[in-house]
Amino acid sequence: SQQGEEDPQALSIQEGENATMNCSYKTSINNLQWYRQNSGRGLVHLILIRSNEREKHSGRLRVTLDTSKKSSSLLITASRAADTASYFCATDPANDYKLSFGAGTTVTVRA
Amino acid sequence: SQTIHQWPATLVQPVGSPLSLECTVEGTSNPNLYWYRQAAGRGLQLLFYSVGIGQISSEVPQNLSASRPQDRQFILSSKKLLLSDSGFYLCAWDSSPVTFGSGTRLTVV
């Protein structure tokens, strides 16, 4: 079963705007990871945030983690057309080897 | 360097035919390996994972099986494909973070 659930399912924004998507999960985790998938391609790792971290930045990406609410958010600032892709969160659960992915958020950035 | 290889990239197979998808990793030993399937426009469904040679855990009952004959080799198989087996199959390695293969687009006709 999928542990991570992304919200919204789809997002359409204008170039230059910020895009925010959320991920909720159910069990305790070691870390949470965000991935990007361009259409028909494999997944590319974006950022990993550990359970003892609350916020992490990488370029135009900002990830937050709230373990008390079992939720994470991914913010893409100053979006570009090239950011058009599907974004997935994945949870690395404590005491388990199974990496679980959500259904993803499809982001479309309009030029 | 650490890399993961998955092949073939695309495959069109008739219903009832067998399947064998191969995944290998380089630059590491005793990796945790995973097979995921992604239906069109959907998220990733974990099919199998393996923490060592000959150790396979299945997540969902299905027409597929997996094997790990060598430490860095993970194979996804089927004896007789169904139409519903069509999808995008991804091999992955828990390299913290997870590293994915480039995927195999399987179309069963």
Side-chain angles (χ1 to χ4, degrees), chain B residues 3-67:
Chain B
T3 57
I4 182 168
H5 301 280
Q6 183 182 343
W7 68 92
T10 59
L11 195 58
V12 180
Q13 292 284 97
V15 168
S17 64
L19 172 74
S20 181
L21 302 181
E22 188 163 345
C23 174
T24 60
V25 296
E26 295 178 2
T28 187
S29 60
N30 198 31
N32 292 340
L33 297 172
Y34 305 84
W35 277 110
Y36 289 89
R37 175 170 61 199
Q38 185 178 31
R42 305 287 293 278
L44 276 72
Q45 179 187 36
L46 179 62
L47 301 176
F48 301 96
Y49 69 97
S50 172
V51 300
I53 296 174
Q55 300 179 62
I56 308 294
S57 295
S58 174
E59 283 299 289
V60 293
Q62 58 207 321
N63 186 42
L64 302 168
S65 62
S67 62

Side-chain angles (χ1 to χ4, degrees), chain A residues 1-2 31 33 35 37 39-45 48 50 88 92 96-104 106, chain B residues 32 34 36 38 41-46 49 51 59-60 88 90 93-94 96-103 105:
Chain A
S1 63
Q2 293 177 326
N31 62 67
Q33 304 165 34
Y35 289 80
Q37 183 183 34
S39 180
R41 307 290 292 276
L43 276 73
V44 175
H45 175 256
L48 180 152
R50 301 189 188 285
F88 296 89
D92 183 1
D96 199 341
Y97 295 105
K98 293 180 286 187
L99 299 164
S100 298
F101 285 79
T106 300
Chain B
N32 292 340
Y34 305 84
Y36 289 89
Q38 185 178 31
R42 305 287 293 278
L44 276 72
Q45 179 187 36
L46 179 62
Y49 69 97
V51 300
E59 283 299 289
V60 293
F88 190 52
L90 287 158
W93 159 40
D94 186 6
S96 290
V98 176
T99 302
F100 283 86
S102 53
R105 175 78 55 194

Side-chain angles (χ1 to χ4, degrees), chain A residues 7 17 20 28 31-32 37 59 79 82 92 96 98 102 104-105 110:
Chain A
D7 171 61
E17 294 179 338
T20 300
S28 297
N31 62 67
L32 185 144
Q37 183 183 34
S79 63
D92 183 1
D96 199 341
K98 293 180 286 187
T105 294
R110 304 185 305 273

